[in-house]
Amino acid sequence: MSNFLPNALVERLNEQEGFDSEAFNKVHEQGDQITSIRINSLKQNSVPFQNAHPVPWCDKGYYLPDRPVFTLDPLYHAGCYYVQEASSMFVAHILKEIALEGNAIRALDLCAAPGGKSTLLASYLGRESLLVCNEVIKSRANILLDNIVRWGTSNIVVTNNDPSTFGRLPGYFDLLLIDAPCSGSGMFRKAQEAIDEWSLANVKLCSDRQKRIVGESISTLVKDGYLIYSTCSYSKEENEDILDWILTEYGFESIPIALDSNWGIEETRSASHRAFGYRFYPHKAKGEGFFVAVLRKKEDQSTFSRKRSKFEKSGVPPHVVSEWLAQSSDFTSFMHGDHIHIFPKKYQEDLKWFQQVLYIKQAGTIIGKWTGRELVPYHDLACSVHIKTDLPAQELSLDLALQFLRKESMHAGDFTGVKSGWCLVRYKGVNLGWVKVLPNRINNYYPKEVRIINL
Ligand code: SAM
């Protein structure tokens, strides 16, 4: 028995047939740290690090040989990649397997902060889908929004609601991802705090909370819609038992996912309903502890009345959006306060329904502030993958890019290409933000909330 890991956990894992507790303990004692990133293929075609190796179950995922100081890489701030634990990237494989990749669907990521799986969904579901990313904890919803803004797509609504609120949109979503808050044993190798905080009582508390989260939100899934349920816990009370509970309480079927045996992922079956689950153990798969399962709703689900509302004037002068955005005809624009947002035209009715029942933190992309005469472009527009590529821009060296990201003053001599006005700052061809070039100075418009501090 390990002196290092909680005995109560290892004893229970030992009850599983074929569980190799020696290898499990050893991998935790060794404490190797694995670093992986997932690239944003709308901004970056190749992995921007040397000697990276592909994550086998995710074609945009890469293991890095060591952990760089990501804060000092401008491409990280520009949303060219997301630093994500490799096991979690298995959701990409699931989307392929259930044929949702690239399909135009409505998806909800219910427990979304800080945004790892949301950015993955955004990449794999593609531009034609609508993604709602929800986080109940306000401070974490802000971090989620920062990461969504960096990712740069406009088909996303970030909300800050209790899961029960989604019961007001019955039969609406085609995909519901519940990456549930859990007891965190899967993170033992990465974080000592996870070990210190672990207890059987907490496993029970998490299990009850998981049932509540699922129970209060499940009606938002349409008939034949998919539920992807995941945790970073090894405890069956939070994993297979939750699947059994769902299958007992609601009309769902379990969906098996094809695996490559070289990946080291373990397929498990729940005790009562024999539901399929996928377990990642760090001594078998190259990643941290993770559990994921896919269920499909088979019962009828009532829905809400989708009245079409009257067309309202947006108040946005028509030329403004096309001046700054490529393919502007795909978007509707609207004013919120004095900010101009863009949002996919095909989902504008959906947004009206959301406004009636959800607390929306942000819908689509804020392109800027309208002064009545001109647009003051917003940071979100600089991060957007929909921004025009021929706007005035200045490429900077690494040192100058970091100076910009620290929101330090910039020198006019470094902006030789642009005489006056709004200018994008670029590093390796990717937009980082805005400066305004004035006759004798440069104003740095990088948002102070996301600037680099202390490095
Ligand atoms: N999906 C995220 C990602 O991949 O980056 C990680 C989500 S984390 C495992 C679980 C999230 O659930 C946390 O952001 C946490 O704040 C949120 N949460 C905590 N309690 C909750 C509750 N009662 N209902 C819904 N979400 C909750």
Side-chain angles (χ1 to χ4, degrees):
M1 208 62 43
S2 165
N3 296 325
F4 174 67
L5 297 171
N7 280 341
L9 176 81
V10 182
E11 273 166 17
R12 282 163 164 245
L13 288 174
N14 265 330
E15 288 165 13
Q16 290 172 20
E17 206 185 302
F19 181 73
D20 184 349
S21 63
E22 206 173 302
F24 182 73
N25 285 334
K26 194 167 161 209
V27 83
H28 283 89
E29 273 154 24
Q30 282 170 339
D32 292 348
Q33 298 293 314
I34 298 173
T35 302
S36 45
I37 60 161
R38 184 173 38 73
I39 60 168
N40 182 351
S41 48
L42 293 174
K43 294 195 175 194
Q44 189 81 31
N45 291 325
S46 57
V47 56
F49 294 97
Q50 300 276 309
N51 302 321
H53 293 286
V55 173
W57 45 82
C58 174
D59 59 7
K60 301 184 203 300
Y62 294 89
Y63 298 106
L64 304 186
D66 40 37
R67 192 176 180 87
V69 182
F70 290 113
T71 312
L72 294 180
D73 180 10
L75 296 181
Y76 166 76
H77 298 274
C80 289
Y81 57 88
Y82 190 95
V83 183
Q84 186 175 37
E85 199 288 295
S87 306
S88 293
M89 297 182 199
F90 187 68
V91 173
H93 175 69
I94 291 176
L95 295 175
K96 279 185 209 287
E97 283 289 305
I98 59 178
L100 290 187
E101 188 190 8
N103 253 335
I105 64 160
R106 294 173 169 87
L108 169 62
D109 185 0
L110 187 63
C111 310
K117 295 185 190 64
S118 293
T119 53
L120 184 149
L121 289 173
S123 288
Y124 283 89
L125 295 179
R127 291 178 189 205
E128 295 303 315
S129 291
L130 176 64
L131 175 59
V132 176
C133 305
N134 179 68
E135 169 57 44
V136 66
I137 297 175
K138 202 173 171 189
S139 56
R140 290 179 60 81
N142 291 334
I143 298 165
L144 170 66
L145 179 56
D146 288 344
N147 284 325
I148 295 297
V149 165
R150 283 191 183 118
W151 212 245
T153 50
S154 295
N155 55 340
I156 301 184
V157 180
V158 176
T159 61
N160 174 210
N161 291 273
D162 185 79
S164 59
T165 319
F166 289 91
R168 298 186 205 157
L169 290 171
Y172 176 78
F173 288 102
D174 305 297
L175 171 66
L176 169 60
L177 170 64
I178 302 185
D179 187 29
C182 69
S183 62
S185 42
M187 291 297 130
F188 279 177
R189 179 165 62 162
K190 268 197 144 162
Q192 175 68 37
E193 318 86 80
I195 303 179
D196 300 340
E197 286 162 15
W198 191 90
S199 67
L200 277 180
N202 194 34
V203 169
K204 165 84 176 84
L205 195 133
C206 289
S207 168
D208 290 345
R209 183 166 54 198
Q210 286 148 359
K211 285 180 192 161
R212 197 174 68 240
I213 292 172
V214 173
E216 289 178 348
S217 61
I218 203 94
S219 64
T220 201
L221 199 57
V222 73
K223 184 179 181 204
D224 292 325
Y226 288 97
L227 167 67
I228 301 180
Y229 175 81
S230 63
T231 72
C232 61
S233 163
Y234 296 118
S235 298
K236 75 175 188 31
E237 294 85 337
E238 301 179 67
N239 298 328
E240 289 87 350
D241 291 0
I242 298 290
L243 304 183
D244 273 343
W245 177 80
I246 298 172
L247 289 164
T248 301
E249 296 291 319
Y250 307 96
F252 275 77
E253 65 178 352
S254 165
I255 305 291
I257 300 296
L259 295 177
D260 181 326
S261 59
N262 294 319
W263 295 349
I265 300 166
E266 205 168 281
E267 183 176 280
T268 63
R269 305 293 290 271
S270 66
S272 312
H273 291 272
R274 310 294 298 148
F276 297 93
Y278 298 91
R279 282 183 168 253
F280 292 68
Y281 289 113
H283 60 287
K284 296 184 76 180
K286 195 170 175 189
E288 303 310 310
F290 185 57
F291 173 86
V292 64
V294 185
L295 300 177
R296 192 172 199 190
K297 194 172 198 171
K298 295 317 292 175
E299 67 191 13
D300 286 334
Q301 174 63 60
S302 59
T303 189
F304 56 101
S305 113
R306 297 174 197 206
K307 283 195 207 116
R308 297 189 76 80
S309 30
K310 272 200 234 139
F311 174 77
E312 291 162 25
K313 278 206 168 141
S314 75
V316 179
H319 66 279
V320 175
V321 175
S322 57
E323 267 172 29
W324 298 86
L325 283 189
Q327 294 162 332
S328 57
S329 59
D330 292 350
F331 299 102
T332 180
S333 53
F334 61 91
M335 302 281 293
H336 186 68
D338 50 11
H339 289 132
I340 299 180
H341 290 237
I342 55 154
F343 191 73
K345 232 177 218 165
K346 66 185 277 203
Y347 293 114
Q348 56 183 337
E349 284 290 333
D350 300 58
L351 188 54
K352 296 234 168 72
W353 303 325
F354 296 167
Q355 280 162 342
Q356 287 166 22
V357 293
L358 300 176
Y359 177 72
I360 298 175
K361 267 195 83 65
Q362 188 162 307
T365 302
I366 303 180
I367 62 165
K369 187 172 163 180
W370 180 243
T371 65
R373 275 185 309 119
E374 57 165 3
L375 185 89
V376 177
Y378 226 57
H379 180 62
D380 306 28
L381 175 62
C383 293
S384 172
V385 298
H386 309 296
I387 190 171
K388 273 189 168 171
T389 51
D390 58 355
L391 296 172
Q394 177 71 52
E395 178 75 26
L396 293 184
S397 66
L398 176 61
D399 284 349
L400 289 176
L402 289 172
Q403 192 174 319
F404 171 73
L405 294 171
R406 291 188 183 105
K407 202 172 169 58
E408 292 171 356
S409 46
M410 308 296 292
H411 303 291
D414 296 319
F415 288 81
T416 47
V418 180
K419 296 263 176 306
S420 68
W422 292 108
C423 171
L424 283 161
V425 171
R426 285 195 182 137
Y427 175 70
K428 293 192 174 171
V430 183
N431 296 335
L432 299 180
W434 297 101
V435 294
K436 193 162 191 185
V437 180
L438 299 168
N440 46 15
R441 68 168 201 278
I442 303 289
N443 283 350
N444 182 342
Y445 275 77
Y446 198 68
K448 69 174 185 326
E449 303 77 24
V450 290
R451 76 191 191 278
I452 300 178
I453 36 178
N454 301 331
L455 258 181

